[in-house]
Amino acid sequence: MHCRDHCGACCIAPSISSPIPGMPHGKPAGVACIQLDEQLRCRLFGDPRRPAVCGSLRPSDSMCGGGRMQALEMLRELEVATAP
């Protein structure tokens, strides 16, 4: 499966504790990563500064569902379920 155009759910829904260029303390859940461009694509894709956790996220039916809104909801639920 490939990333959907104009989605960005995996760069919005989950929290990221690793530093991100422009977000030195990571990002909270539900906040768009500063590295998302206007097309909701990662500006750091393929860049060594991209957090390892971001590179480990792979699009799949179980993560992305049937569309952007479903992906946001599924990832939000996963975030809640795995919160400390």
Side-chain angles (χ1 to χ4, degrees):
M1 181 173 186
H2 296 283
C3 286
R4 290 186 179 99
D5 289 334
H6 305 284
C7 181
C10 61
C11 301
I12 298 169
S15 60
I16 298 175
S17 58
S18 304
I20 303 165
M23 300 180 98
H25 304 291
K27 68 165 227 57
V31 173
C33 178
I34 196 167
Q35 295 299 332
L36 275 178
D37 67 14
E38 298 77 23
Q39 303 300 315
L40 298 177
R41 295 281 188 178
C42 178
R43 290 184 181 99
L44 296 177
F45 193 84
D47 186 314
R49 299 175 300 158
R50 185 177 181 214
V53 68
C54 298
S56 72
L57 290 173
R58 301 282 185 215
S60 66
D61 289 334
S62 63
M63 184 174 81
C64 303
R68 181 175 192 266
M69 295 311 294
Q70 190 175 18
L72 284 165
E73 181 58 24
M74 291 170 79
L75 288 167
R76 186 197 67 75
E77 289 174 5
L78 182 61
E79 179 73 23
V80 169
T82 59

